[in-house]
Amino acid sequence: DGGITQSPKYLFRKEGQNVTLSCEQNLNHDAMYWYRQDPGQGLRLIYYSQIVNDFQKGDIAEGYSVSREKKESFPLTVTSAQKNPTAFYLCASSQMYSNQPQHFGDGTRLSIL
Amino acid sequence: GENVEQHPSTLSVQEGDSAVIKCTYSDSASNYFPWYKQELGKRPQLIIDIRSNVGEKKDQRIAVTLNKTAKHFSLHITETQPEDSAVYFCAASKNSGTYKYIFGTGTRLKVLA
């Protein structure tokens, strides 16, 4: 879906380093989500946000942090506390009424140097 | 906790045959069931969804059926083509105020030419 942009496409993290993944949407969606996908596995929810300046932990929030200062933007920081960060990270957004579909960005592949 | 089981994990079919993927959910309050197709290294894309007030929905070669009593739903692809080869994910959500998805673990479909 062209309305969600994730950057960068590939990212490398050094030991002890924090890195930030960008997610921007122009769909005017209220809700935004971050998922982690490991090879051959499903999508696990890291954090989600339903409104500006508010967000909630998902199932695997440890070692990650987020912010929601603008409706359009929901960046994810992978901190040095996340000991196994190598994965494919997907951002999604949706409307916030009556179960609307989530639309995904193209993802960021994070690897450790 | 809430759970969605998806079977099979891999499925190989001959071109032109049908493919069926099944998901079972645990939370009886779930009322929205999307299906996503994900090609290698790309974003998941919504291919069809169904809400709990209907039992079946069809879109060309793709259909989804829902059995609320048994708490399972299935994806049916008829006349499969090589371009249908991908990983398919089911999900379930409910009107809980968060609209979080619970994803299945995915099915890798291979259509053999």
Side-chain angles (χ1 to χ4, degrees):
Chain A
D1 295 20
I4 302 178
T5 303
Q6 288 188 242
S7 63
K9 188 165 183 168
Y10 300 96
L11 188 57
F12 299 91
R13 195 191 88 170
K14 294 180 181 179
E15 201 71 36
Q17 186 182 40
N18 293 351
V19 292
T20 297
L21 285 60
S22 171
C23 179
E24 304 275 333
Q25 54 100 359
N26 61 6
L27 300 169
N28 199 33
H29 285 170
D30 294 306
M32 297 186 75
Y33 310 82
W34 274 106
Y35 292 93
R36 170 178 171 143
Q37 188 174 32
D38 293 284
Q41 297 193 28
L43 284 72
R44 293 186 290 170
L45 183 64
I46 305 172
Y47 269 98
Y48 63 101
S49 168
Q50 299 171 278
I51 195 170
V52 173
N53 292 324
D54 189 42
F55 46 83
Q56 286 78 41
K57 293 182 179 180
D59 301 317
I60 55 166
E62 186 174 348
Y64 301 97
S65 65
V66 293
S67 63
R68 187 89 186 272
E69 297 178 2
K70 299 185 300 181
K71 185 176 183 178
E72 304 78 23
S73 178
F74 191 40
L76 173 74
T77 296
V78 183
T79 75
S80 56
Q82 173 49 248
K83 297 306 178 187
N84 183 22
T86 298
F88 189 49
Y89 290 87
L90 287 159
C91 177
S93 71
S94 71
Q95 292 286 13
M96 273 297 297
Y97 54 86
S98 189
N99 276 316
Q100 295 297 306
Q102 292 183 15
H103 301 264
F104 286 85
D106 283 330
T108 293
R109 190 166 299 280
L110 176 62
S111 303
I112 296 181
L113 279 179
Chain B
E2 298 163 1
N3 185 47
V4 173
E5 293 188 1
Q6 184 172 347
H7 297 283
S9 57
T10 60
L11 178 61
S12 294
V13 299
Q14 288 295 133
E15 182 178 359
D17 287 351
S18 295
V20 181
I21 302 170
K22 299 181 179 178
C23 289
T24 303
Y25 58 98
S26 61
D27 189 343
S28 57
S30 297
N31 61 357
Y32 176 66
F33 308 93
W35 284 90
Y36 286 85
K37 175 184 180 181
Q38 186 180 29
E39 297 178 11
L40 190 62
K42 297 195 175 179
R43 69 175 81 188
Q45 293 197 304
L46 181 73
I47 55 172
I48 197 166
D49 57 6
I50 192 168
R51 289 177 171 79
S52 60
N53 58 345
V54 298
E56 183 173 359
K57 184 177 179 180
K58 192 172 182 180
D59 183 3
Q60 299 182 353
R61 295 186 297 109
I62 295 173
V64 55
T65 58
L66 172 64
N67 182 328
K68 286 188 291 184
T69 302
K71 293 192 287 187
H72 66 69
F73 56 111
S74 299
L75 177 71
H76 304 254
I77 306 174
T78 59
E79 301 172 17
T80 54
Q81 301 166 2
E83 51 265 38
D84 294 329
S85 296
V87 178
Y88 292 82
F89 291 98
C90 64
S93 74
K94 59 186 179 182
N95 287 340
S96 64
T98 66
Y99 305 102
K100 289 190 298 179
Y101 284 8
I102 307 298
F103 278 95
T105 50
T107 296
R108 182 173 299 279
L109 174 64
K110 297 181 184 177
V111 179
L112 308 171

